[in-house]
């Protein structure tokens, strides 16, 4: 059975923001393909591509919190032109961040506004910055829930 609708659309958007076939080299047609790619570890070039498209990830603080890799370590990999795969954890966090960024962009209308929102304290998250919550599954769920409430016009 193939996936259709919003899930397949989101996979395609996430795949594209991570550099698509240019970086990942293998098509991700469904969630199982994505799962396999994340377990194997995304190529470093996928994270570098994402970082080039998302100014928020340029800061060491954001990169460390969201992905679990320091900017220095990522620069070292880039300078050595090494295509060392990210760990499964770093790959999962990269995918999750990309998914949240796209969802936030859909809700707020523009990627720049989404990045700004992720980096500002949010009333509905006890004045915590959403980006600070993306390092745990529970935090990710809290951010997704809050985005859903914003999307439906329920802020508290």
């Amino acid at each position: 059975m193939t996936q259709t609708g919003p899930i397949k659309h989101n996979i395609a958007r996430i795949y594209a923001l991570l550099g698509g076939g240019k970086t990942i080299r293998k098509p991700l047609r469904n969630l199982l393909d994505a799962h396999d790619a994340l377990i194997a570890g995304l190529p470093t070039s996928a994270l570098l591509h994402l970082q080039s498209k998302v100014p928020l990830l340029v800061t060491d603080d954001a990169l460390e919190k969201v992905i679990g890799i320091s900017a220095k370590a990522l620069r070292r990999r880039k300078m050595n032109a090494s295509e060392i795969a990210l760990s499964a954890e770093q790959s999962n966090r990269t995918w999750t961040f990309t998914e949240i960024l796209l969802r936030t962009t859909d809700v707020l209308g523009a990627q720049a506004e989404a990045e700004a929102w992720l980096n500002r304290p949010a009333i509905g998250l006890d004045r915590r910055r959403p980006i600070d919550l993306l390092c745990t599954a529970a935090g990710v769920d809290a951010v997704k829930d809050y985005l859903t409430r914003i999307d439906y016009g329920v802020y508290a």
Side-chain angles (χ1 to χ4, degrees):
M1 177 162 87
T2 61
Q3 293 173 335
T4 59
I7 291 174
K8 187 170 186 173
H9 180 68
N10 282 339
I11 292 170
R13 291 173 65 206
I14 294 167
Y15 182 68
L17 200 50
L18 293 174
K22 191 166 72 172
T23 61
I24 298 175
R25 311 220 194 296
K26 182 179 174 186
L28 303 181
R29 298 174 304 256
N30 55 47
L31 290 173
L32 293 177
D33 287 348
H35 168 80
D36 292 342
L38 296 175
I39 292 295
L42 293 173
T44 299
S45 58
L47 177 55
L48 290 168
H49 187 273
L50 178 65
Q51 189 182 40
S52 74
K53 301 294 183 192
V54 182
L56 176 62
L57 289 180
V58 174
T59 67
D60 194 38
D61 182 49
L63 195 60
E64 182 75 40
K65 281 181 183 174
V66 172
I67 309 300
I69 189 170
S70 70
K72 183 178 179 181
L74 189 59
R75 277 192 305 273
R76 194 170 41 251
R77 284 187 183 191
K78 183 179 179 180
M79 284 180 9
N80 295 335
S82 66
E83 195 49 56
I84 300 169
L86 300 172
S87 69
E89 175 68 20
Q90 291 166 334
S91 296
N92 186 55
R93 289 171 72 170
T94 299
W95 182 274
T96 299
F97 171 77
T98 306
E99 181 181 38
I100 292 285
L101 176 66
L102 290 170
R103 174 78 172 115
T104 307
T105 300
D106 290 346
V107 170
L108 300 179
Q111 183 176 319
E113 180 55 32
E115 289 182 52
W117 182 84
L118 287 166
N119 209 27
R120 285 193 298 265
I123 293 170
L125 297 171
D126 291 336
R127 301 204 180 277
R128 297 177 194 205
R129 296 183 321 157
I131 198 165
D132 294 337
L133 300 172
L134 299 181
C135 60
T136 68
V140 167
D141 287 346
V143 171
K144 285 181 178 179
D145 179 62
Y146 189 50
L147 284 169
T148 299
R149 288 185 285 149
I150 291 171
D151 200 22
Y152 285 95
V154 181
Y155 297 102

